[in-house]
Each structure stands twice: as C-alpha cells, then as structure tokens.
Amino acid sequence: MKPKPIVLVMAGHDPTGGAGIQADIEAIQAMGGHAISLITALTRQDTRSVHDFMAVDPAQLRQQANTLLHDCTPNAFKLGMLADPAIVSVAKELLEQYPQVPVILDPVLAGNLQGSLAKPHLLDALLTLLPYTTLLTPNIPELQAICAGTSMDQLFARGLKAMLIKGAHRRGAMIVNELVTAEGVMHRHEAIRLPGEFHGSGCTLASACACLLAQGLTLAEVAAKALHYTQDCLSRAFAIGHYQLIPGRQQ
Ligand code: PLP
C-alpha cells in the first residue's frame, strides 16, 4: 500500500465538530492523508458563537510535540487556532526543525459569526511565523487585521511564499478566491455563493491544502483542488444545531 502523507495539525477543539481539529482530521482523511495532532485549546461554543476557550499548557504541548516527532515525520504542517502567543512559540520551534516541510497557516482569530479565538497579542505572534509559511489562508477580515500597519508586499518580504485569500466576506453572488504570491495574483477561482452560514469552511480548506501540499502538488494545483473539495463539502452541508451548517466532508 502507498504510504499516506502525514500532516501534523496544531488546532483547537470545537465541540460541535464543525471546525477545529475534527474538521482538520476529516478533510485530511478525505484527501488521502493521515493527521497527527496537537490540540492547542479547548473551546466552548455552539453552531452560533464561541463563548470562551482555554489554551493548553505550552510546556506540556512542547513535550507532546517532541515525543511525537521523535517517532513520526510530517510531510506538511497545518496550523489552525494557536490561541496564545506562548503556543505560537512552540509552533515556531517545531517549524525551525523542518525547513523543507510545507506549512499552511490559517490565521484563526475569530469564529465565523461571533467570539474571539485569540488571546491578546496573538496577531503579532502569528506574524513571526511568516518566514516559515508556504501558504497563508486568510479571510478578508483576517487579511485586513494582518495588513494593518503593514502591506501585502511586506508579508512576502518577511518570507511568506503565497496566500490563498478567501473572498466570502465580500458581497456578491459569486465568491472570488485568489492565490497571491510576491508577483501578484496568480489565479482567481470563482465559486457560487451557496445559501446558509457555514461553520468550519476555513479549517476544511486549509487542511485540504496541507494534505495536497504534503503530496507534492504545486500551489496552483493545491488551491484549485482544495477549493473544489471545500465547495463540494459546503454543497453537502448539514444542520446539527440551530444556526450554522457543518460541511459534509466525507466524499
Ligand atoms: N478553529 C477552531 C477550534 C474553531 O472553533 C473555529 C471556529 O469556530 C475555527 C478554527 C475557525 O473556523 P472556520 O473554519 O469557520 O473559519
């Protein structure tokens, strides 16, 4: 049997199963990979909002990572909710040890509707990961927060390779997602805006990207395939509560 690509995921737990680590594991499995995971935070949320969260102990997380990586070698890193600057430091230590391994950074700052998923100064800490990041996957509010006080060019100057900008927060019947590098917009992908609000679409997309990058696809192939898969998941979305729908990630 062909070996499965291994994706090391650092992400939070979302009890609804729509976003966070459960979304990541499901998307990575659907793309033919295996997720190994470090849980960064426990959140309290429903399908409407994040009520609060508790970040894990960074020292314990570092030990978990060291034990795991002594045994397993990842083919890609997927960084989701990192919650706290101290956890970003643990992530950075890991990335420094694997300069050849692609890194997908989903700059999670808030849930889709309401509620912060970030401790103070998280954004500044996330920027320190840019030199290691192959693909950043911000939505529009996240991109605005990241670019406040700097420019997109500066992000690339700090070492970022590429960005997949998710356009769902812009108005219009079509959603325009863009793959951007230091050279400018490489590809534009349009998707029909599906009715409803979704919980976990960003995690699904970023994890699919991570698993495809782990398999050696180009960034252009990764963006096209992962966006196509995510749109399929949203077209199969289902209700588990009263508010946002959960992507149907199993193909
Ligand atoms: N990570 C966790 C643990 C979350 O709970 C959430 C949202 O609630 C997210 C990430 C971001 O979710 P989305 O994929 O909807 O952007």
Side-chain angles (χ1 to χ4, degrees):
M1 211 171 109
K2 217 172 122 203
K4 279 181 190 274
I6 296 177
V7 181
L8 174 55
V9 182
M10 292 183 74
H13 177 253
D14 165 13
T16 74
I21 192 67
Q22 188 168 331
D24 298 329
I25 293 171
E26 289 177 3
I28 289 164
Q29 277 176 350
M31 294 290 104
H34 175 75
I36 54 177
S37 53
L38 297 169
I39 308 288
T40 55
L42 301 177
T43 71
R44 180 165 73 88
Q45 59 185 310
D46 50 31
T47 59
R48 179 157 70 174
S49 53
V50 179
H51 296 267
D52 57 35
F53 68 88
M54 185 179 78
V56 302
D57 173 18
Q60 162 70 9
L61 192 71
R62 184 177 289 108
Q63 285 184 341
Q64 280 179 20
N66 290 340
T67 300
L68 180 66
L69 292 171
H70 195 67
D71 187 23
C72 310
T73 304
N75 303 108
F77 286 91
K78 189 268 173 176
L79 308 179
M81 176 185 182
L82 296 181
D84 186 318
I87 292 179
V88 176
S89 299
V90 176
K92 192 162 164 245
E93 287 165 25
L94 298 183
L95 303 187
E96 278 164 353
Q97 295 170 45
Y98 294 88
Q100 308 304 332
V101 176
V103 176
I104 284 59
L105 174 59
D106 187 11
V108 176
L109 298 171
N112 248 353
L113 283 184
Q114 301 165 10
S116 172
L117 289 163
K119 292 254 172 90
H121 309 298
L122 182 73
L123 181 56
D124 288 341
L126 289 180
L127 295 179
T128 68
L129 299 179
L130 291 180
Y132 309 93
T133 302
T134 313
L135 186 64
L136 183 73
T137 59
N139 59 31
I140 300 295
E142 287 162 352
L143 184 63
Q144 284 165 348
I146 290 167
C147 284
T150 180
S151 65
M152 255 202 231
D153 287 349
Q154 278 302 313
L155 306 182
F156 293 116
R158 290 176 77 160
L160 173 66
K161 301 272 177 320
M163 257 193 285
L164 182 54
I165 302 173
K166 302 174 285 188
H169 288 80
R170 296 191 190 111
R171 287 178 193 280
M174 300 301 288
I175 295 176
V176 181
N177 303 295
E178 292 167 321
L179 180 65
V180 183
T181 68
E183 275 75 56
V185 178
M186 294 290 116
H187 293 278
R188 268 198 182 85
H189 297 271
E190 290 202 357
I192 294 171
R193 186 182 297 278
L194 298 169
E197 292 276 349
F198 303 102
H199 191 80
S201 53
C203 303
T204 306
L205 176 68
S207 287
C209 286
C211 194
L212 294 167
L213 269 182
Q215 294 170 50
L217 275 67
T218 64
L219 278 171
E221 291 166 337
V222 164
K225 280 199 178 194
L227 285 165
H228 188 265
Y229 166 67
T230 304
Q231 184 77 356
D232 272 357
C233 293
L234 298 186
S235 71
R236 291 189 292 261
F238 55 97
I240 57 148
H242 296 97
Y243 303 102
Q244 294 177 315
L245 304 175
I246 302 297
R249 280 176 285 258
Q250 269 84 354
Q251 288 171 307

